[in-house]
Amino acid sequence: MTVESSNQKTGIVAALRVPTAETCKDRLAASGQWLLGHLLPPLVVLASLLALWEILCSLPGAMLPAPSQVVRETWDLIVMPFYDFGGNDVGMGWQVLASLERVAYGYSLAVLVGVSLGVLIGKSTWAMRGLDPIFQVLRTVPPLAWLPISLAAFQSSNPSAIFVIFITAIWPIIINTSVGIRNIPDDYQNVARVLRLNPYENFTRIMLPSAAPYIFSGLRIGIGLSWLAIVAAEMLIGGVGIGFFIWDAWNASMLSDIVLALIYVGLVGYLLDQVVGFIGRRVTRGTSA
Amino acid sequence: MNDRYLIIDNVNKIFQSKKTATHVLDSVSLTVKRGEYISIIGHSGCGKSTLLNAISGLTTATDGYVILDGKEVNTPGPDRALVFQNHSLLPWLSVYENVALAVNKVFGARKSAKERDEWILHNLEMVGMSHALTRLPAEISGGMKQRVGIARALAMQPKLLLLDEPFGALDALTRAHLQEEVMRIQSDLNNTVLMITHDVDEAVLLSDRIVMMTNGPKATIGEVLDINLERPRNRIELASDPQYNEYRRAVLRFLHEKQQKVAPLPKAGSKTMSTQEEAKERAG
Ligand SMILES: Nc1ncnc2c1ncn2[C@@H]1O[C@H](COP(=O)(O)OP(=O)(O)O)[C@@H](O)[C@H]1O
Ligand SMILES: [Mg+2]
């Protein structure tokens, strides 16, 4: 296999033309065109929105800070994301990392339990009939509604927040996994039967890869919900974390800090979504969105 | 033993649903010699795939039995390799890995890793796919997928090769090309092959015998035609061969004169009526 792929590579190299000045210029022009087409629209829209915001919030009697004011007031926070003055008084980087740590625990747990339960429901009609109605009801419970009961159960804020993440992220993972397992084409199962794969081989070589695109779409929804939930949960539990930072800023009437925090929340949420999407594409070799 | 390598004895298949019972196969019996190439031809929906599935063990016959090399078959196994029209390659595995999955499972205990690797490469070489080992199924053409499917089946060294309309989804040129390859491989390996087809030329060109099935429901073997054409066969020469054309006519007569006029059986449920009509429609 390795021999072959190196053969293939030499084939490709041999087939390539030596780049001339002409083709280089063409390529530069092409990538310039691409950048112009893809980077320009968001930049223009962003600039216009900022300008609009600036104008509206500079009017007399405006309740919210204008962008220029936000930057001025939060400059220290922007340039020092990792300062640590003890207690809650730490940089935005630490705040976000604290939130991410909770998400990492809760989400990992949700992936583990969610995929297992999804496989069970996908495989066993009995389990599906028993569990599905319960899940359908439980998944409509808003994340924060779980917080009081988990606080009562854990008697501690951190595990409670992690539990809220877990319970929020798990439903789309369960449901998508079970759909993926249920939709494994007969053809693939026939391959497994003809080869007489044992149950373990069948699970790892056929079922999981076949269901992977579904599983990853569940994982992607789950990570988004996790991030939504952690920010809300942290507002209530306190301590270090981007959610409580926002709540704290609100109590101190530091609106500019809130705006900065929202930007952080949005960017990190986007990043999490992209990371899971990227892993999904790698694992499923491009068959998942 | 070798003259009765595969014995299909009185196989019946009735699909039972809540309300209706569809009697698809009715007392199908056939004996196949070792190394024989058999084509099964019949109108769409008559039960060809059902018969092949019963032989592969993917479905169990309602009645009757299948014996291969002295052993009754009940469950699917690698001694009966399948190639389907829709290739059924695993889309997340590369060309090499698709064949490797089968080879490693079947020969994992008997061959070293190096021997297995060579065996995989050898089989992909045989179908002319050595240039695309790292490609995913989605990245190769339909004809190439079918080649890989055939390589995977051959690599299992099955006692019986079961092909269900293997070239049915391919364009005429690709199909002709693959037929040549199959003939070449067959002259080397001399496998025992059962191939379903609805292409009369393909059946006559490739087979030692053509098994013609009557229309369903209750389909059975109508006629069996021995093809005594010398090998290697050349499609261009055969086109003007009177014997070849006589064989073609015989199959066409069976399909379009004898089978077309069969009236739908009265007692059948509505489901079978519709498949009967569908079969007629597709046959035209
Ligand atoms: N799982 C099944 N349940 C009920 N009927 C089936 C099933 N599989 C096939 N049939 C019926 O059996 C008949 C033969 O099907 P098939 O063997 O696929 O035909 P062919 O391969 O000759 O086109 C058809 O009428 C089809 O509707
Ligand atoms: Mg069929």
Side-chain angles (χ1 to χ4, degrees), chain A residues 4 187-188 194 196 201 209 285, chain B residues 76-78 86 97 105 130 133:
Chain A
E4 186 57 31
D187 283 349
Y188 304 167
V194 168
R196 299 218 171 115
E201 289 167 330
R285 293 189 166 173
Chain B
N86 56 1
E97 289 165 341
K105 181 63 191 174
S130 300
L133 299 178

Side-chain angles (χ1 to χ4, degrees), chain B residues 13-17 20 22-25 40-53 59 164-165 196 198 213 216-217 219 271-272 274-276 278-279 282:
Chain B
K13 181 68 192 182
I14 302 169
F15 285 109
Q16 196 81 46
S17 72
T20 56
T22 320
H23 198 153
V24 175
L25 294 177
I40 301 171
I41 200 163
H43 287 294
S44 266
C46 73
K48 305 181 295 293
S49 296
T50 306
L51 177 60
L52 213 69
N53 284 340
T59 56
D164 192 345
E165 301 191 23
I196 293 176
H198 51 235
M213 289 187 61
K271 186 168 187 250
T272 54
S274 69
T275 51
Q276 176 91 2
E278 188 187 307
R282 275 196 245 158

Side-chain angles (χ1 to χ4, degrees), chain A residues 1 4-5 8 187-191 193-198 201 205-207 209-211 283-285 287, chain B residues 57-58 75-78 80 82 86 88-92 94 96-97 101-102 105 130-131 133-134 136 156:
Chain A
M1 189 173 178
E4 186 57 31
S5 60
Q8 246 183 329
D187 283 349
Y188 304 167
Q189 281 306 333
N190 286 346
V191 171
R193 290 174 67 194
V194 168
L195 292 178
R196 299 218 171 115
L197 299 184
N198 63 40
E201 289 167 330
R205 308 302 303 273
I206 307 285
M207 287 166 58
S210 173
V283 171
T284 62
R285 293 189 166 173
T287 50
Chain B
L58 288 173
T75 54
R80 281 149 289 136
L82 282 150
N86 56 1
S88 70
L89 297 179
L90 303 174
W92 57 87
S94 69
Y96 177 95
E97 289 165 341
L101 179 69
K105 181 63 191 174
S130 300
H131 63 285
L133 299 178
T134 55
L136 294 176
M156 290 153 68

